[in-house]
Amino acid sequence: MSHAKKVISLVSAAALAAAVSAVVWAGEADDTVKARIAPVGEVCMAGDDCAGAQAAAPAAAASGPRAGADIYNSACMACHTTGASGAPKIGDAAAWGPRVAKGMDVLYNSAINGLNAVMPAKGMCMDCSDDELKATVDYMVENSK
């Protein structure tokens, strides 16, 4: 075999080996990418047969209603401690006075349904029950006299 044919054979063999490696690597890369972008869960709507999936019970239901102070400290204090967006600060009787004068039902309604696109519904505590929100309003009012 001539020198040129040997070189061509070696280059062809190397190219073939590179092509096979690329195909094998691409297949492994595809599997890696598929695993990385796979969904982390599934949505199961009420009434759907979801292969025996059990719905997780809300944390509040398992442990009972949370105290107003606990909800205030986890969901409300960011705005009601700093006065962000005009929120009345806890402990500021002058700011709370006119609000309390409108009645507790008005305050409860604002906490549950939001207020003028400034305070979001439920103060962004979407897992809070209405009773828990009322307890939180009571806590803030009691600590703002």
Side-chain angles (χ1 to χ4, degrees), residues 60-85:
S63 62
R66 294 168 286 181
D70 294 337
I71 294 170
Y72 171 80
N73 288 322
S74 65
C76 306
M77 72 179 297
C79 295
H80 287 281
T81 300
T82 65
S85 298

Side-chain angles (χ1 to χ4, degrees), residues 62-139:
S63 62
R66 294 168 286 181
D70 294 337
I71 294 170
Y72 171 80
N73 288 322
S74 65
C76 306
M77 72 179 297
C79 295
H80 287 281
T81 300
T82 65
S85 298
K89 294 180 184 180
I90 193 167
D92 185 350
W96 281 95
R99 291 167 171 89
V100 172
K102 292 179 183 178
M104 291 304 289
D105 287 337
V106 173
L107 285 174
Y108 295 151
N109 185 58
S110 296
I112 294 167
N113 298 310
L115 180 65
N116 300 331
V118 176
M119 179 177 162
K122 295 190 169 202
M124 297 301 294
C125 183
M126 297 307 164
D127 66 338
C128 287
S129 70
D130 288 357
D131 288 337
E132 289 174 325
L133 290 170
K134 289 176 182 179
T136 305
V137 170
D138 292 343
Y139 170 81

